[in-house]
Amino acid sequence: MESASPPDRPVGRGAKVRAAVHAATLAELVDNGYAALTVEAVAARAGVHKTTVYRRWKDRESLVVDALAGQAAADVPVPDTGSVEGDLRALARSLVAMVTGGSGPALLAAMFSGGAGLPEIAEARQQVFGDRLRRARPVVTRAVERGELPAGTDPGELLRTLAAPIYFRLLMTAEPVDAATADQAVRVALAAARAGALTCIHT
Amino acid sequence: MESASPPDRPVGRGAKVRAAVHAATLAELVDNGYAALTVEAVAARAGVHKTTVYRRWKDRESLVVDALAGQAAADVPVPDTGSVEGDLRALARSLVAMVTGGSGPALLAAMFSGGAGLPEIAEARQQVFGDRLRRARPVVTRAVERGELPAGTDPGELLRTLAAPIYFRLLMTAEPVDAATADQAVRVALAAARAGALTCIHT
């Protein structure tokens, strides 16, 4: 997002405005959904002028994409427990906590109903997942270095395999999603990875 | 659905009406989405009286749930190729063909946008998946009987593991979904099942 501040810039007035506008955007999404979200309402909620928002984000679509992507990055710390099983369990459990707790369900609903078919929301989903996958890659590369997983194990494939059953239950079958779901996702992803079923094949 | 004809009744006027109304319901979903769907429009499209529809389905929600569930059952024949790998590949490939071809993408969009948060659409999704899972269970039980998979392998867990990455790509990351996606889903599900990671654990 060229119009947004880089995530590693020093915390100052700019970063504070960005955080406030992001929080206001997510709150508006949760309260009113994507279709009803306006830059005016976000600005009012964040306590800034509308022009301040437009100086940083070119339109409401960029704002929503950036806020969702920022949220995703903030919410999933990358674990380093010393074992691939511990790391994957921490990742899966934090994903479950995020999608089931706090404003997670409302944000997920905003991403999947109303605006689900809109290109900008599809782009937000892709950014969110692309970002999470990139951030979590070290979990897999460290596991390969430690000899816990076969050489050539594809971090993206493994992390998709980990996340897929959690979202499948949430979105498709509406079955309960809890720590047991997370742990079962880890079992499956690890078994597949150890058997060499998650080595790079899509290249 | 108590108001609908049982699927195994002889083909006659009743079954023809049911098929015509189902087809009209799906066509309306594809053309106009769930929010705009009316019993009047479905009846007109099917060439029957509105009262004929109401005699069989108590409201538009029952109609949509029944039509989507019927579609799902019709579209996924249960393979019996003689090997679990062949059967799972056929299942995964027919799922990919269904969600990417014909009216599949439009029906998926109808199930996930607009009405995504409504209880009746959530119920339709659950019925669709519950029905598909039930129908495909013999693929897994036969594989266990042939000694291809460990005793205690949970058909539901295996079939969810097979479907989950396909829907994850479709709905979340918007990555391409094709025969290679299906085959990779088979690799993962089989590796997990053979390692005993898909034995009954949720009971």
Side-chain angles (χ1 to χ4, degrees):
Chain A
M1 208 80 348
E2 57 180 6
S3 51
S5 316
D8 54 354
R9 80 185 255 171
V11 175
R13 157 107 184 117
K16 275 184 199 159
V17 167
R18 187 167 183 265
V21 172
H22 273 184
T25 305
L26 297 174
E28 284 290 313
L29 272 179
V30 166
D31 286 355
N32 304 314
Y34 178 71
L37 185 140
T38 64
V39 169
E40 286 77 1
V42 168
R45 191 160 196 153
V48 302
H49 287 289
K50 195 174 116 176
T51 49
T52 304
V53 177
Y54 278 118
R55 231 186 345 262
R56 290 159 177 273
W57 294 276
K58 69 178 195 297
D59 50 30
R60 70 176 203 127
E61 288 69 30
S62 313
L63 181 57
V64 169
V65 169
D66 198 42
L68 287 170
Q71 160 87 350
D75 274 15
V76 183
V78 177
D80 190 3
T81 64
S83 80
V84 65
E85 189 165 356
D87 286 356
L88 292 180
R89 182 170 293 129
L91 276 177
R93 287 189 174 199
S94 71
L95 175 59
V96 164
M98 188 182 63
V99 293
T100 60
S103 57
L107 282 177
L108 209 62
M111 289 172 86
F112 277 93
S113 64
L118 300 175
E120 58 270 25
I121 293 293
E123 188 194 333
R125 282 205 301 273
Q126 283 175 270
Q127 284 216 3
V128 165
F129 288 93
D131 186 60
R132 277 198 207 136
L133 291 181
R134 260 188 310 279
R135 287 165 49 83
R137 292 175 74 91
V139 161
V140 182
T141 51
R142 283 193 304 252
V144 171
E145 281 161 18
R146 284 191 298 252
E148 292 183 288
L149 293 179
T153 300
D154 182 340
E157 277 301 298
L158 194 153
L159 296 166
R160 281 186 200 90
T161 301
L162 190 68
I166 295 167
Y167 284 103
F168 187 72
R169 283 177 171 263
L170 271 177
L171 299 171
M172 286 305 214
T173 60
E175 291 168 290
V177 168
D178 54 22
T181 314
D183 296 352
Q184 172 60 8
V186 173
R187 269 179 99 194
V188 168
L190 266 184
R194 286 175 178 148
L198 296 171
T199 46
C200 305
I201 54 133
H202 272 96
T203 50
Chain B
M1 211 80 346
E2 56 178 3
S3 53
S5 317
D8 54 355
R9 83 185 255 172
V11 174
R13 157 106 185 118
K16 275 185 199 161
V17 167
R18 187 168 183 266
V21 172
H22 273 185
T25 304
L26 297 174
E28 284 291 313
L29 273 178
V30 166
D31 287 355
N32 304 315
Y34 178 71
L37 184 139
T38 64
V39 170
E40 286 77 1
V42 168
R45 191 159 197 154
V48 301
H49 288 290
K50 196 175 117 176
T51 49
T52 304
V53 176
Y54 278 118
R55 228 178 359 253
R56 289 156 178 276
W57 294 276
K58 68 179 196 297
D59 50 29
R60 72 177 201 127
E61 286 70 28
S62 313
L63 180 57
V64 169
V65 170
D66 198 43
L68 286 170
Q71 161 87 351
D75 273 15
V76 183
V78 178
D80 189 4
T81 64
S83 81
V84 67
E85 189 165 356
D87 285 357
L88 293 179
R89 182 170 294 131
L91 276 177
R93 288 190 174 198
S94 70
L95 175 59
V96 165
M98 188 181 63
V99 293
T100 59
S103 57
L107 282 177
L108 210 63
M111 289 173 85
F112 276 93
S113 65
L118 301 175
E120 59 269 23
I121 293 293
E123 188 195 333
R125 282 205 301 274
Q126 282 175 271
Q127 283 216 4
V128 165
F129 288 94
D131 185 60
R132 275 195 208 140
L133 291 181
R134 260 190 309 281
R135 288 165 48 83
R137 292 176 74 90
V139 161
V140 182
T141 51
R142 284 193 305 252
V144 172
E145 282 161 16
R146 283 191 299 252
E148 291 183 288
L149 294 179
T153 300
D154 183 339
E157 277 301 298
L158 194 154
L159 296 167
R160 281 187 200 89
T161 301
L162 189 68
I166 295 168
Y167 284 103
F168 186 72
R169 282 177 171 262
L170 272 177
L171 298 172
M172 285 305 213
T173 60
E175 291 168 292
V177 168
D178 54 22
T181 313
D183 295 353
Q184 173 61 8
V186 172
R187 268 180 100 194
V188 168
L190 265 184
R194 285 176 178 148
L198 295 171
T199 47
C200 306
I201 53 132
H202 272 96
T203 50

